[in-house]
Amino acid sequence: MRYLGMFIPTVMGVALLLSAQPSGSFDESDLMRLAALNQCEGCDLRKADLSGADMRRGALANVDLREANLKDALLSDANMPNAKLRKADLSGADLSHANLREADLRNSVLAGANLESALLQDAKLGKSDLHEAKLSRAHMNGASLRNSDLTNSNLGKAELTGADLSNTTLHDANMAKINMMGGSLSGADLTGAHLTEALLGKTDLSEAILVDTNLSEASLRGAFLTGADLSDAKLIKADLTGAEMSDSILINAVLNEASLDRAILDSTDLSGAQLIDASLAGISLQDAKAERTNFTRANLSNGDLSRISLIKANLTGATLRHALLEGADLSGANLSNAVLRKAVLSGAILNKVKLTGVDLMGTNLTDVDLSNSKLKKSDVAKAILCRTLMPWGEENQGCTE
C-alpha cells in the first residue's frame, strides 16, 4: 500500500486512506487521485495525513500541502516545483534528489529530513526547523532560509550562491566545501561550524557569530565580516583578501599563513591571535587591538597600523616596509630581525621593545622615545630622527623645519 508504507491503488485502499484522514480542508478527490496514480499536480492536499506515505518519483508540481503531515514520507526523486508546503511536517522525510524549485517551505518542520542533492533553487525555507537535516550537495542557489534552525545539519558541498541564511542557527553544522558566493549569513550563529574550503567570496557575514568555527582554507575574498565574532576561530591558509572586517573580534583566532592583503580590520580585536607567516600587505588596522598577537614573519608592508595597540606582540622577522604606525603602542613588543624600512613610527610608543637586528633604514622615528633601548648610533644612522630621544640624547638631524 502507498499509505503508511505505500498507497493502495484500489477502491478499498482509497477508502482506508480517506478514513484515516482528520477533518481538514483537502480535496478528497485529489487524495484519491494521488493514492491511485502517485500524480497530483496542482492538487489541494492541505492538512492531509500522508505520514510514511511512499510518493517516490511522484508528479506533484504546484501541489498544495500546507500544514500536511508528511512525517517520514518517502519523496525521493519527486517532482514538486512550486509546491506549497508552508507549516508542513516533513520531519524524517526522504526528499533526496527531489525537485523543490521555488517551493514554499516556510515555517515547515524538516528535522532529520534527507534533502541530499535536492533541487531547492529559489525555495522559501524561512523560519523552518532543519536541525540535523541532510543537505549535502543540495542545490539551494537563491534560496531563503532566514531565521531557520540548522543546528547539526550537513550542508557539505551544497550550492548556495546568492542564498539568504541571515539570522540562522548553524551550531556545529557541516558546511565544508559549500559554494555560497554572494550569499548572506548576516547575524547567523555558526558556533563550532565546519566551513573548511568553503567558497564565501563577497558573502555577507556581518555581525555573525563564528566562535570556534573552522574556516581553514576557505575563500573569503571581499567578504563582509563587520562586527563578526571570530574568537578562537581557525582560519589557517584562509583567503581574506580585501575582506571588510572592521569592529570584528578575532581574539585567540588562528590565521597562520592566511592572506589578508588589503583587508580592512579597523578597530578589530586581534588579541592573542596567531598570524604566523600571514600576508597582510596593504592591510588597514587603524585603532585595532593586537596585544600579545603573534605576527612572526608576517608581511605587513604598506599597511596602515595607525594607533594600533601592539603591546607585547611578537613581530619577530616581520616585514613592515612603508607601513604606517603613527601613534602605535608597541610597549614590550618583540621586533627582533623585523624590517621597518621607510616605515613611519612618528609618536609611537616603543617602551621596552626588543629591537635586536631590526632594519630601520629610512624609518621615520619622529617624536619617539628610545632612550632606554640598546640601539647604537650605527643602528639608526639612516633613520629619520627628529625630537627622537636616544640613549645618548636627543637627535634632530631629520627635522625638516
Side-chain angles (χ1 to χ4, degrees):
M1 51 186 285
R2 277 193 182 274
Y3 178 69
L4 298 176
M6 62 181 175
F7 290 124
I8 305 174
T10 64
V11 174
M12 182 178 292
V14 172
L16 286 170
L17 177 60
L18 291 172
S19 66
Q21 296 300 318
S23 59
S25 53
F26 63 88
D27 188 314
E28 291 186 3
S29 62
D30 283 344
L31 194 60
M32 292 172 66
R33 177 184 169 193
L34 175 64
L37 303 171
N38 197 26
Q39 297 177 8
C40 213
E41 295 181 345
C43 287
D44 183 356
L45 297 168
R46 285 173 291 168
K47 297 185 179 180
D49 185 355
L50 297 164
S51 54
D54 186 346
M55 293 173 278
R56 287 174 289 183
R57 295 176 293 281
L60 299 164
N62 301 299
V63 68
D64 191 344
L65 284 158
R66 283 175 289 176
E67 299 185 58
N69 182 1
L70 291 152
K71 188 175 181 179
D72 298 318
L74 302 177
L75 287 153
S76 58
D77 296 294
N79 189 37
M80 304 174 71
N82 297 295
K84 297 176 182 176
L85 288 149
R86 193 166 185 176
K87 294 185 179 180
D89 185 353
L90 289 141
S91 53
D94 184 0
L95 291 144
S96 57
H97 300 277
N99 180 4
L100 287 154
R101 286 189 177 97
E102 299 184 44
D104 186 353
L105 290 134
R106 286 174 293 175
N107 301 97
S108 61
V109 179
L110 288 147
N114 183 359
L115 289 145
E116 292 177 354
S117 299
L119 305 180
L120 287 151
Q121 292 95 327
D122 299 308
K124 299 174 183 176
L125 293 118
K127 295 183 180 179
S128 293
D129 181 358
L130 286 145
H131 80 269
E132 297 185 358
K134 301 175 183 67
L135 289 150
S136 60
R137 299 180 188 275
H139 298 268
M140 305 172 75
N141 304 325
S144 175
L145 292 94
R146 291 174 63 91
N147 300 294
S148 291
D149 183 1
L150 290 115
T151 302
N152 287 312
S153 59
N154 182 6
L155 291 116
K157 297 184 179 180
E159 290 290 329
L160 289 148
T161 54
D164 186 357
L165 279 79
S166 54
N167 299 308
T168 52
T169 301
L170 287 148
H171 289 189
D172 300 308
N174 176 25
M175 302 172 76
K177 298 184 179 180
I178 64 166
N179 180 2
M180 199 175 173
M181 300 278 285
S184 177
L185 282 159
S186 176
D189 188 345
L190 295 114
T191 303
H194 299 270
L195 289 116
T196 52
E197 299 182 62
L199 299 178
L200 298 163
K202 296 187 181 300
T203 299
D204 185 358
L205 287 137
S206 57
E207 306 294 335
I209 301 172
L210 294 146
V211 177
D212 199 32
T213 300
N214 192 344
L215 286 150
S216 296
E217 298 186 62
S219 175
L220 290 141
R221 294 176 70 92
F224 303 94
L225 289 136
T226 305
D229 188 350
L230 291 125
S231 301
D232 298 302
K234 295 178 180 63
L235 294 118
I236 300 166
K237 295 184 179 180
D239 187 354
L240 289 144
T241 303
E244 167 58 73
M245 302 177 72
S246 297
D247 299 302
S248 60
I249 301 170
L250 285 150
I251 296 172
N252 298 324
V254 182
L255 295 108
N256 297 337
E257 299 183 68
S259 175
L260 291 109
D261 296 339
R262 301 181 302 284
I264 301 172
L265 284 87
D266 296 340
S267 302
T268 293
D269 192 345
L270 283 150
S271 299
Q274 296 183 45
L275 291 114
I276 301 169
D277 294 313
S279 180
L280 302 100
I283 194 169
S284 183
L285 280 160
Q286 296 181 58
D287 302 296
K289 186 177 180 181
E291 298 176 3
R292 298 180 185 275
T293 303
N294 192 342
F295 290 98
T296 300
R297 295 184 302 278
N299 181 12
L300 290 141
S301 297
N302 298 298
D304 188 347
L305 288 77
S306 301
R307 301 173 302 282
I308 189 173
S309 177
L310 287 158
I311 297 172
K312 295 186 178 180
N314 186 354
L315 290 141
T316 304
T319 301
L320 293 117
R321 293 173 184 266
H322 299 277
L324 186 60
L325 290 122
E326 284 186 309
D329 189 348
L330 291 113
S331 300
N334 187 350
L335 283 160
S336 299
N337 300 309
V339 178
L340 286 153
R341 290 194 176 197
K342 295 187 177 181
V344 178
L345 283 86
S346 301
I349 301 171
L350 281 81
N351 185 41
K352 296 182 180 179
V353 174
K354 294 181 181 178
L355 295 162
T356 306
V358 67
D359 185 343
L360 294 167
M361 183 177 289
T363 306
N364 190 332
L365 295 165
T366 299
D367 294 316
V368 173
D369 185 353
L370 288 163
S371 57
N372 293 316
S373 71
K374 296 181 180 180
L375 290 172
K376 300 175 183 178
K377 289 186 177 182
S378 58
D379 296 324
V380 294
K382 296 184 179 180
I384 299 171
L385 307 176
C386 180
R387 297 184 298 278
T388 307
L389 299 180
M390 300 302 298
W392 53 88
E394 184 174 312
E395 292 281 1
N396 291 296
Q397 68 266 32
C399 296
T400 56
E401 297 177 357

